[in-house]
Amino acid sequence: MESIFHEKQEGSLCAQHCLNNLLQGEYFSPVELSSIAHQLDEEERMRMAEGGVTSEDYRTFLQPSGNMDDSGFFSIQVISNALKVWGLELILFNSPEYQRLRIDPINERSFICNYKEHWFTVRKLGKQWFNLNSLLTGPELISDTYLALFLAQLQQEGYSIFVVKGDLPDCEADQLLQMIRVQQMHRPKLIGEELAQLKEQRVQKTDLERVLEANDGSGMLDEDEEDLQRALALSRQEIDMEDEEADLRRAIQLSMQGTSRNISQDIPQTSGTHLTSEELRKRREAYFEKQQQQQQQDPPGPLTHPCEKPTTSSEALSSELGDAMSEEDMLQAAVTMSLETVRNNFKTEGKK
């Protein structure tokens, strides 16, 4: 592909690009084509003057040239005369004269296409066809089977197609491609599409640089952001641990309060009353008197063991309180062990 000569569009000089891409070299310049256009204008003026310089046709002809304009456009007459220098001739592809020849397009050497003042060349180099449109970013490979369809599509779009007859000058690309065949992985884009894509890439690059500058100015690098995220995660985990531990403590405390209430219901009400020594003495005396009266009324029963000691109500009450307190101590110990186990588990998860 690098050996193929391909001029890209500049202004409205598509006729110049068409001719040079056809001939595969810088054969024509705008100045040379303008000279051909002026020569054609002079020849046409002389023919029109034969009918009289005062005729309306002659006055109409004196208007700006139809073979060129200031933008760089050149007519088909200019292109045809330029090719005559190289012994080449243009024949309209869809003319009755050419159609009667019934020539397969693949057997031709080149075509010139025109639509709305735009000219471009389709040429065979070596054994392959290429679209050398100056509006493309590079030559476009056209397969032999696609050539006829491509030309038919151009005709449907309104293009005028001319067959170039004659021997084209030798070129390096034609000689090289006679020996090798090229493959094209990606079709070339239109110049406007490429410019739009480059502009979008520049905008994205500018936005990225702006973001990077903003990050550099604030001092927030990627590593610092990761460290901050890890610190925040650990902080949230510690807060969750504290919240769960507090909830567990409250649940255990409520459970202890319920247990205490159950114990207090089983204990006689006198256990919660602070009696004076005098009241206790009177109650003991009343208790012993009652016991003596029962012994006198009841028959003597079996003797107790000498080592056994009668159990008084105060001793029984003390025993019940002792049992209750021992149960509460056991519950408190179990709660403490549970708290230690939960705390150790949270610490282990935090380290992970």
Side-chain angles (χ1 to χ4, degrees):
M1 287 287 191
E2 291 78 8
S3 61
I4 299 177
F5 182 86
H6 179 253
E7 277 188 357
K8 297 180 182 180
Q9 188 72 22
E10 293 183 4
S12 299
L13 298 175
C14 54
Q16 171 194 325
H17 306 319
C18 175
L19 289 170
N20 289 338
N21 290 338
L22 172 68
L23 301 175
Q24 286 293 287
E26 296 180 356
Y27 288 88
F28 292 99
S29 66
V31 175
E32 293 171 338
L33 294 179
S34 298
S35 176
I36 295 175
H38 286 303
Q39 182 179 358
L40 288 174
D41 289 341
E42 183 63 22
E43 292 177 358
E44 292 175 1
R45 188 190 64 80
M46 292 178 63
R47 286 196 299 269
M48 296 297 296
E50 294 177 357
V53 294
T54 58
S55 64
E56 185 174 353
D57 293 338
Y58 183 81
R59 292 176 182 178
T60 303
F61 176 77
L62 294 178
Q63 301 298 322
S65 172
N67 291 307
M68 62 170 293
D69 59 23
D70 296 335
S71 66
F73 165 77
F74 295 98
S75 65
I76 181 63
Q77 288 80 10
V78 175
I79 295 176
S80 179
N81 278 28
L83 290 177
K84 286 179 180 179
V85 177
W86 293 94
L88 301 173
E89 181 183 2
L90 294 180
I91 300 176
L92 191 61
F93 176 72
N94 58 351
S95 64
E97 292 80 8
Y98 183 79
Q99 292 298 322
R100 281 195 295 266
L101 298 177
R102 295 183 180 180
I103 301 176
D104 190 342
I106 198 174
N107 295 324
E108 300 290 354
R109 294 293 301 169
S110 58
F111 300 92
I112 288 181
C113 308
N114 168 253
Y115 179 67
K116 291 184 177 181
E117 301 182 354
H118 178 66
W119 302 91
F120 70 91
T121 293
V122 177
R123 174 174 172 169
K124 190 173 187 178
L125 293 169
K127 300 178 181 179
Q128 294 174 288
W129 285 90
F130 295 90
N131 177 11
L132 303 178
N133 194 335
S134 58
L135 294 178
L136 297 175
T137 57
E140 178 184 14
L141 179 64
I142 301 177
S143 65
D144 292 347
T145 55
Y146 180 64
L147 177 64
L149 181 61
F150 177 70
L151 296 176
Q153 181 180 356
L154 291 178
Q155 285 183 310
Q156 291 181 354
E157 293 176 358
Y159 276 84
S160 298
I161 302 176
F162 299 89
V163 182
V164 180
K165 288 294 187 178
D167 295 330
L168 295 168
D170 294 334
C171 63
E172 178 183 358
D174 187 52
Q175 296 174 358
L176 182 61
L177 293 177
Q178 289 287 350
M179 298 180 291
I180 61 174
R181 297 179 66 89
V182 299
Q183 293 182 353
Q184 191 170 46
M185 302 301 296
H186 302 286
R187 296 177 59 185
K189 299 180 180 179
L190 291 173
I191 293 177
E193 294 178 355
E194 185 183 36
L195 292 176
Q197 185 176 5
L198 291 175
K199 183 178 180 180
E200 183 178 358
Q201 292 177 354
R202 285 196 297 268
V203 171
Q204 293 177 353
K205 182 179 179 181
T206 303
D207 294 341
L208 179 60
E209 292 175 350
R210 190 179 296 109
V211 171
L212 293 176
E213 291 177 359
N215 288 338
D216 293 340
S218 60
M220 294 295 293
L221 301 176
D222 293 339
E223 295 181 358
D224 295 338
E225 291 181 357
E226 293 178 358
D227 294 339
L228 179 60
Q229 293 295 333
R230 285 195 293 268
L232 290 175
L234 291 175
S235 177
R236 286 193 295 267
Q237 188 175 4
E238 292 176 358
I239 293 174
D240 294 339
M241 290 168 60
E242 294 176 357
D243 292 342
E244 293 179 3
E245 187 173 350
D247 293 339
L248 183 58
R249 286 181 179 276
R250 285 194 294 271
I252 294 172
Q253 188 175 10
L254 292 173
S255 178
M256 290 174 62
Q257 291 176 359
T259 305
S260 300
R261 284 194 296 268
N262 294 335
I263 294 173
S264 63
Q265 291 173 0
D266 297 336
I267 298 175
Q269 295 298 325
T270 56
S271 65
T273 307
H274 299 283
L275 302 177
T276 62
S277 59
E278 184 65 21
E279 291 174 345
L280 289 174
R281 185 181 63 79
K282 290 180 179 181
R283 290 191 178 189
R284 284 197 298 270
E285 289 178 353
Y287 179 79
F288 287 131
E289 290 176 359
K290 186 177 181 180
Q291 291 291 331
Q292 291 176 0
Q293 291 176 0
Q294 290 179 355
Q295 291 176 2
Q296 292 175 358
Q297 294 175 358
D298 298 335
L303 295 175
T304 60
H305 193 275
C307 297
E308 289 181 354
K309 183 180 179 181
T311 302
T312 63
S313 62
S314 61
E315 290 175 348
L317 180 60
S318 298
S319 176
E320 291 179 358
L321 289 173
D323 293 340
M325 291 302 294
S326 63
E327 291 178 0
E328 185 175 353
D329 292 340
M330 292 174 64
L331 179 60
Q332 182 65 32
V335 169
T336 304
M337 292 177 65
S338 298
L339 286 174
E340 289 297 331
T341 302
V342 171
R343 187 179 292 106
N344 291 334
N345 291 337
F346 276 122
K347 288 182 179 180
T348 303
E349 292 178 0
K351 290 180 180 180
K352 291 179 181 180

